[in-house]
Amino acid sequence: MISSITGLSARAVAGVRARVGSNAGVRIGRDGRVRPTNSAERRLRARELMAEQPHLSLRQVAKAVGISPETARTVRGELRGDRRPSRAPAAPRRGGVADLLRWLRDDPSMRLSHNGRLLLRLLFLDVRTRTAWAEVSRDVPAHCRPGLAELARQSAAAWQVLADRLDLELDSEGAA
């Protein structure tokens, strides 16, 4: 909406938003409706409010934390055990790289964010090039092989650092 009014690209508007930051916790969609920027946090606040004040109506809870009454109904159902808590779908336990990539590609939080799309592109490129390594490496001149081997080791180390960081963040979220 802002980009169409100002004439700036969506990327430029996103850059300004990232630099300026927003404390409002909401955004206004093209349809003019107000939407939360972090619905998980609001659901958590609704859970806490329902636990502290169980006599409140769904509309009162919804208004207090800024969610829809239907979302409040879902949260209340989760608290009562009527419904399973909404969670992101788990990664496939079996299958190969293609299954994991498909799962990541289909996840809206990856597909609809700039960094998520960048990571997906890098992952797809990495997988595509893996199949070509054996064929291409045969044609590498002998004097270039040590340098290429070192680049491969550094790339592997960078991916390992990313894997370790993701594991660490997962562990810290589980402990919280």
Side-chain angles (χ1 to χ4, degrees):
M1 183 166 159
I2 293 174
S3 61
S4 62
I5 293 171
T6 62
L8 295 171
S9 71
R11 180 176 281 175
V13 172
V16 170
R17 282 184 177 147
R19 283 192 302 277
V20 172
S22 173
N23 295 329
V26 296
R27 66 176 184 82
I28 299 175
R30 286 187 174 194
D31 59 359
R33 296 174 67 188
V34 176
R35 292 188 174 79
T37 55
N38 188 345
S39 59
E41 180 180 310
R42 290 171 188 254
R43 282 174 167 265
L44 181 61
R45 287 198 332 224
R47 281 175 173 273
E48 292 168 353
L49 185 59
M50 287 177 186
E52 292 169 5
Q53 300 179 34
H55 63 278
L56 291 178
S57 72
L58 293 175
R59 288 184 185 273
Q60 289 171 320
V61 171
K63 187 174 183 180
V65 298
I67 58 175
S68 72
E70 189 55 37
T71 302
R73 180 185 318 283
T74 302
V75 171
R76 180 167 282 166
E78 291 169 0
L79 282 172
R80 289 182 178 161
D82 300 340
R83 300 179 181 168
R84 292 180 54 206
S86 50
R87 288 192 175 95
R93 296 200 178 262
R94 297 186 193 271
V97 173
D99 292 332
L100 283 169
L101 282 173
R102 194 174 305 111
W103 173 75
L104 285 170
R105 182 199 63 209
D106 292 343
D107 187 311
S109 60
M110 292 291 290
R111 205 177 56 237
L112 300 177
S113 71
H114 172 73
N115 286 338
R117 287 189 303 273
L118 177 62
L119 185 56
L120 286 172
R121 279 188 224 118
L122 291 171
L123 289 168
F124 275 96
L125 180 63
D126 183 62
V127 169
R128 283 186 188 151
T129 55
R130 283 185 204 179
T131 58
W133 286 133
E135 184 180 328
V136 194
S137 64
R138 285 192 302 260
D139 297 331
V140 174
H143 69 278
C144 294
R145 289 180 186 199
L148 183 57
E150 181 57 29
L151 280 172
R153 279 188 209 83
Q154 288 180 13
S155 291
W159 281 110
Q160 186 62 52
V161 166
L162 174 63
D164 292 345
R165 182 178 301 144
L166 293 170
D167 286 340
L168 182 65
E169 289 173 5
L170 186 62
D171 289 344
S172 67
E173 286 175 9

